[in-house]
Amino acid sequence: MFEILTPLFVSLIVGGTLVGIIFGAIPGMTATMAVAVCLPLTYSLGLENGLALLLGLYVGGISGGLVPAILLGIPGTPSSITTTFDGYPMAQKGEGEKALRIGIVASLVGGLVSLLVLDLFAPTLADFAIKFSYVEKFLIIFFALTVMAALSSDMLLGIFSGVLGIFVALIGTYDISDGGNGNLRLVPPGTEYWLESGFSLLPVLIGLFGLAAILEQAEIGVPKGHSSKDINVGRHARFSFGVFRGQSINLLRSSLIGTFVGILPGVGGSAASIISYTNAKTFSKTPERFGKGEPGGIIASEAGNNGLTGGALVPLLSLGIPGDSTTALLIGAFTLQGIQVGPLFIGNNPGTWDAMIIAMLIANLAMFAMMYFAIRYFALVVTIPKHILFPVILMMCVIGAYTINYGIMFDVWTLLIFGVLGWLFTKLRLEVAPFIIGFILGPSAEIYFVKSLESFGDVTIFFTKSWIAVLLWVLIIGSVAGAVLMAKKNRQIAEEPV
Amino acid sequence: MTFTRRTLLAAVSAAAMVAAPLAAEAQNLPRNMRMVIGSTSTGGDTYQNSAIVAEALAEKLGINIKVDAVGASEGFKALARDKRGTTIMMFHDQSFLGNLYGVTGYADPFADYTVGPTVAINPGNAYLVPADSPYQTMEDIFAAAESGTRVRVAIQPGGVSEIGFTAMKNAARVRAPGSEANIVAVNTGSQSDKNQAMWDDLADVINGSIQANEQFTQLDPSDEKAMRFVWITARPETLEQAPEAGMGNTTRADMLGYASPETSVTLDGSEDFTFDKEFFLLYNKDMDPEIIAAIDTALTELYDEGKIQERQKDAFFIPDFLPSEAAREHLTQKRDTYRQVIDEISSGS
């Protein structure tokens, strides 16, 4: 088993993890993009070495997303969106380094838990995953959508923003590859050429979070001679593992949620971190602290999205079905080598299976070592004067938007449009976070809802399909009730005389 | 159209191409070329085949060729924008089937683009049933439809999986008019959605591929994921060129048992319907003919050398090179045949 540990194998994992972290840390670049760029290299490397590189890129790319999410408030990847909710407020309070270390430790735990689950239970979990039909998948997405209520400072406006996000996400073609009819919907006449494929997620994300923030800063203006050095990186806010005291259940639950969501093909990493975050807030004794710099929020988000890494390999290796967009690319590495993944893969290829598990383990440890000890240097990004930092961020955002779909100029326009919209949102008191969650989850919700009705006939199926559906309704109702009680409590506190 | 005629066409065109010196034609080629593919997946057969062809072409022409998985709609747009020849597209029959089925974003490739050379066939287009299905063969499926039983077939509309479904309906209509109404489509998306539809008992038959689904046919029949092939659409002449060992535990002889003439899905009562999923290049309509000629010449030399065929066969593709002109003639005839099938079933049901 350990004869695979050649210097080349280990170097490819470590190198891949480093490149992945860099891709994840640059707004607009993702783990998926890192894997896509390096996929052709794997042809000459051979299967095990090629997978070592790609798995390093995968783990690094997912983990690297927390750096801009915490330091700049721009999610490096869609799955690190919930990391911004508490990470960025902590950075603004001068606890950036502490927040980064919390995220890195949570990422490691999430990655290792999911790897353990993958190694021990992959075929069994794949059998469980196929019990989730359109109905159960819709209810999981619906459960994730309930976070819109919990995240909003004004529940009505928050839910409106979320529904607006869903609406905007549905612009374009009802794609035949999603089981749709291929027809256009919500596309104004004359814009068909550009809006045929709708708005891409990443340009929307970095427009709303990145460009909008820069526009807001531009509006305020940067005083001459002033720099971001007044934002304390956090040398004084020392990190201690004590911050995880009382968080072990959150850590384990979020890791398992990430793993579980990963094994469900099509649900995706964003849903993993959003569901983990919702649960952490719902079960917290101090939910009012979430969104204002609560370490538990970062733990939930990062353990959740890294938990996805092992989980998403379960359906890939046991059913030949990718769990998320990045593992879909990994199939390319197998097919380029003439290897078929499917239910016989693990039994027929024990050497490759062992190599993948070892590669994932080393990638997680390498990610931790590189990020934990280099984080002080990452964190220095906030000390760069804004008049230098912002143009660089803007340039990276534009390059990222242009490259995400292999050079489509409309994606750059999307970035600019949603940057301006994000800036207008603050003027109109609309909320960006529920909007983007609606935008991310809306298309999946639509597909699973429509396909459920097409397949099973009427809406009662959502309540009667299976015990899993009933359990999911309990969670949905619990989450909504928690959000309503929380809103009431906040209102009472606000109305109390000082 | 017969195999002999295609071979003749290929030979004549290839001889004409070889007569022109590659070096003279290649000097006008862009140094960096982008091969967009009609799929967003890098794990599928389109990417795999494109990667093989792009690598071989790049080496032969001494230029860089990068494969980008942009999908059909964006691929066509990119192709339409670029007259310089820096963007070329690799796709398969779905490019004209999508147009015949009226799918959004699919223009007529013969009218709006320049159809280039064919390079390979994926012989794996197949239809499967659950291992415990009462349908052992296609005959059972047609008999069930004739007796009034609805047979649900999971497909992705508007492409390669729908053409086989259309052929099933057409065969049912030819055998027993009216019975085609009992063969109904379950509109799913990707391969995983089709498999899931089977496991959820939403479909009796699914479109799949030998490459993606063969492993499921090797599972113990008691496993709820187990499946069986009932039909492979490829022509027997195509399958006979596949490696004898086949794929996994399904040998070439096994595969031939699921294809015409052993498994018959009639086209008109006398001839069987067959379908080879064929990959070919597409160019901008106004691309420099010299660049097209250079690519034709380079591919002719590559196929003469024979190494590219080995790589394609290793990846379970059947080499199928036809230079541009011969390819256009062949694909136009192919399109017309399938248009007739689609029109007949559309007007008859």
Side-chain angles (χ1 to χ4, degrees):
Chain A
M1 178 176 177
F2 292 101
E3 60 270 22
I4 189 71
L5 286 170
T6 61
L8 176 65
F9 183 78
V10 176
S11 309
L12 285 167
I13 300 168
V14 174
T17 307
L18 177 63
V19 174
I21 291 169
I22 294 168
F23 265 77
I26 297 174
M29 306 281 181
T30 61
T32 309
M33 198 186 282
V35 173
V37 167
C38 294
L39 185 63
L41 299 178
T42 61
Y43 201 90
S44 54
L45 287 172
L47 184 60
E48 275 85 11
N49 286 332
L51 285 169
L53 174 67
L54 298 181
L55 290 170
L57 291 165
Y58 182 34
V59 172
I62 296 283
S63 310
L66 67 87
V67 176
I70 289 171
L71 295 179
L72 304 171
I74 306 171
T77 60
S79 60
S80 57
I81 178 174
T82 43
T83 309
T84 62
F85 298 161
D86 292 287
Y88 189 51
M90 280 185 78
Q92 286 179 310
K93 284 190 281 184
E95 297 176 342
E97 194 177 314
K98 182 180 168 187
L100 287 167
R101 289 194 197 277
I102 291 168
I104 294 161
V105 174
S107 294
L108 176 70
V109 174
L112 293 180
V113 167
S114 75
L115 183 59
L116 188 67
V117 172
L118 171 73
D119 192 27
L120 296 178
F121 306 111
T124 315
L125 283 172
D127 283 347
F128 181 60
I130 67 169
K131 308 277 185 222
F132 283 70
S133 70
Y134 295 127
V135 171
E136 288 85 2
K137 284 183 185 172
F138 169 74
L139 291 174
I140 284 175
I141 298 290
F142 190 35
F143 175 46
L145 280 169
T146 60
V147 77
M148 292 192 312
L151 281 176
S152 313
S153 49
D154 181 320
M155 199 180 282
L156 193 62
L157 274 175
I159 292 172
F160 174 78
S161 306
V163 173
L164 190 64
I166 296 173
F167 180 83
V168 174
L170 300 186
I171 291 173
T173 308
Y174 186 20
D175 202 334
I176 57 168
S177 59
D178 293 329
N181 55 10
N183 290 344
L184 293 169
R185 70 276 169 88
L186 304 174
V187 176
T191 60
E192 293 87 349
Y193 181 83
W194 296 280
L195 290 179
E196 196 182 334
S197 306
F199 294 107
S200 298
L201 170 60
L202 220 66
V204 171
L205 192 67
I206 51 185
L208 284 172
F209 281 87
L211 184 57
I214 291 172
L215 290 175
E216 278 170 34
Q217 288 289 328
E219 191 182 20
I220 298 164
V222 183
K224 203 174 180 183
H226 179 82
S227 81
S228 296
K229 283 185 179 172
D230 56 346
I231 298 175
N232 192 335
V233 175
R235 298 266 170 105
H236 307 298
R238 303 293 296 179
F239 169 78
S240 146
F241 282 96
V243 76
F244 286 92
R245 201 170 297 130
Q247 295 288 348
S248 52
I249 292 175
N250 179 18
L251 197 56
L252 186 63
R253 182 183 54 224
S254 302
S255 304
L256 290 174
I257 287 172
T259 308
F260 171 70
V261 171
I263 70 165
L264 302 176
V267 178
S270 313
S273 51
I274 291 167
I275 293 172
S276 302
Y277 190 87
T278 314
N279 271 275
K281 186 169 179 179
T282 304
F283 290 109
S284 171
K285 287 174 188 161
T286 53
E288 68 280 359
R289 289 192 200 162
F290 278 71
K292 296 168 189 162
E294 164 62 34
I298 302 175
I299 291 168
S301 178
E302 285 304 316
N305 66 28
N306 272 65
L308 184 96
T309 53
L313 288 173
V314 171
L316 175 77
L317 302 177
S318 302
L319 299 172
I321 295 168
D324 69 351
S325 56
T326 318
T327 46
L329 292 174
L330 292 181
I331 288 191
F334 289 101
T335 50
L336 284 174
Q337 303 287 344
I339 302 277
Q340 300 303 313
V341 280
L344 305 178
F345 172 79
I346 296 173
N348 289 349
N349 302 278
T352 308
W353 166 247
D354 288 342
M356 291 183 76
I357 296 290
I358 292 171
M360 288 281 283
L361 179 64
I362 296 174
N364 273 288
L365 296 174
M367 175 277 295
F368 178 76
M370 281 189 267
M371 290 185 72
Y372 193 83
F373 295 108
I375 211 68
R376 184 158 294 165
Y377 304 102
F378 279 123
L380 287 174
V381 74
V382 295
T383 66
I384 300 168
K386 285 180 182 174
H387 66 272
I388 296 172
L389 183 65
F390 284 172
V392 173
I393 293 173
L394 190 59
M395 184 186 71
M396 289 192 303
C397 288
V398 170
I399 292 171
Y402 186 68
T403 51
I404 188 71
N405 289 317
Y406 307 103
I408 293 173
M409 193 58 201
F410 182 68
D411 288 338
V412 177
W413 291 113
T414 302
L415 164 76
L416 298 176
I417 291 165
F418 281 87
V420 173
L421 278 178
W423 174 70
L424 285 175
F425 270 24
T426 53
K427 313 281 176 204
L428 299 169
R429 291 179 54 233
L430 292 174
E431 300 202 27
V432 169
F435 177 90
I436 200 71
I437 286 169
F439 187 86
I440 290 172
L441 300 177
S444 303
E446 181 213 27
I447 290 162
Y448 296 136
F449 183 73
V450 172
K451 301 310 281 181
S452 296
L453 292 183
E454 274 181 9
S455 304
F456 298 100
D458 64 69
V459 289
T460 57
I461 194 69
F462 292 110
F463 304 93
T464 57
K465 170 78 170 52
S466 62
W467 63 267
I468 299 169
V470 175
L471 179 67
L472 285 166
W473 274 111
V474 172
L475 292 172
I476 290 164
I477 292 165
S479 179
V480 173
V484 171
L485 289 173
M486 178 72 207
K488 269 189 173 176
K489 192 176 158 192
N490 284 345
R491 197 180 307 150
Q492 279 170 357
I493 292 168
E495 286 170 1
E496 274 172 13
V498 181
Chain B
M1 193 197 65
T2 65
F3 182 71
T4 313
R5 187 173 170 194
R6 289 183 64 193
T7 312
L8 190 67
L9 272 170
V12 170
S13 307
M17 288 304 141
V18 171
L22 174 61
E25 286 169 341
Q27 65 186 359
N28 293 330
L29 279 171
R31 304 313 304 161
N32 295 294
M33 209 177 257
R34 181 184 187 215
M35 184 184 285
V36 293
I37 66 170
S39 162
T40 52
S41 163
T42 54
D45 55 355
T46 312
Y47 185 89
Q48 194 180 8
N49 192 36
S50 305
I52 293 170
V53 173
E55 191 184 334
L57 257 183
E59 196 180 329
K60 170 64 74 180
L61 295 168
I63 61 171
N64 301 310
I65 303 181
K66 181 174 179 290
V67 180
D68 281 342
V70 301
S73 185
E74 292 302 335
F76 285 130
K77 282 183 192 170
L79 204 58
R81 281 196 299 264
D82 188 353
K83 297 176 183 176
R84 298 165 301 165
T86 52
T87 305
I88 60 177
M89 185 170 180
M90 173 76 79
F91 205 16
H92 49 76
D93 305 84
Q94 184 154 329
S95 56
F96 61 82
L97 289 173
N99 179 252
L100 293 179
Y101 282 113
V103 177
T104 305
Y106 283 78
D108 178 357
F110 297 95
D112 296 340
Y113 306 99
T114 298
V115 171
T118 60
V119 289
I121 294 171
N122 177 356
N125 190 46
Y127 289 81
L128 301 102
V129 294
D132 60 357
S133 167
Y135 308 127
Q136 296 296 322
T137 62
M138 288 302 290
E139 281 298 317
D140 293 342
I141 290 170
F142 291 125
E146 282 175 40
S147 68
T149 306
R150 284 174 82 239
V151 181
R152 303 161 299 169
V153 186
I155 57 160
Q156 178 182 306
V160 166
S161 61
E162 187 167 5
I163 190 68
F165 167 74
T166 303
M168 272 189 217
K169 282 182 82 85
N170 182 55
R173 182 181 63 85
V174 171
R175 292 163 62 108
S179 69
E180 72 273 14
N182 290 323
I183 295 185
V184 295
V186 177
N187 180 1
T188 61
S190 60
Q191 185 67 62
S192 59
D193 287 341
K194 292 170 193 157
N195 291 4
Q196 186 70 46
M198 177 184 280
W199 297 325
D200 287 341
D201 195 26
L202 297 172
D204 304 303
V205 183
I206 62 166
N207 170 260
S209 70
I210 295 173
Q211 294 90 328
N213 292 76
E214 194 276 338
Q215 290 201 7
F216 292 99
T217 68
Q218 302 304 325
L219 297 176
D220 188 280
S222 62
D223 190 318
E224 62 184 327
K225 302 187 294 296
M227 305 175 186
R228 282 188 283 111
F229 287 113
V230 284
W231 184 31
I232 293 173
T233 66
R235 294 176 309 139
E237 297 93 324
T238 304
L239 281 174
E240 275 157 11
Q241 297 174 67
E244 195 174 352
M247 171 154 281
N249 288 334
T250 306
T251 64
R252 182 174 66 193
D254 295 334
M255 291 175 193
L256 284 164
Y258 300 114
S260 171
E262 297 293 319
T263 293
S264 172
V265 174
T266 190
L267 181 65
D268 52 13
S270 58
E271 200 181 334
D272 283 341
F273 171 93
T274 54
F275 173 78
D276 280 342
K277 184 179 180 183
E278 209 161 359
F279 293 89
F280 54 91
L281 290 173
L282 285 159
Y283 305 121
N284 180 288
K285 195 157 182 56
D286 299 319
M287 190 165 126
D288 184 350
E290 279 189 35
I291 300 176
I292 296 175
I295 292 172
D296 266 357
T297 308
L299 283 172
T300 303
E301 289 185 10
L302 282 167
Y303 278 84
D304 283 346
E305 289 161 14
K307 282 184 192 162
I308 190 169
Q309 289 96 318
E310 286 171 26
R311 285 194 58 190
Q312 287 177 327
K313 282 194 171 180
D314 285 346
F316 203 66
F317 291 115
I318 308 299
D320 171 49
F321 174 63
L322 283 180
S324 294
E325 205 172 315
R328 272 194 288 280
E329 189 179 332
H330 160 63
L331 290 168
T332 306
Q333 286 183 7
K334 188 176 185 184
R335 187 266 313 262
D336 291 345
T337 304
Y338 296 123
R339 172 153 53 196
Q340 197 179 340
V341 177
I342 293 167
D343 286 349
E344 277 178 16
I345 197 64
S346 303
S347 59
S349 59

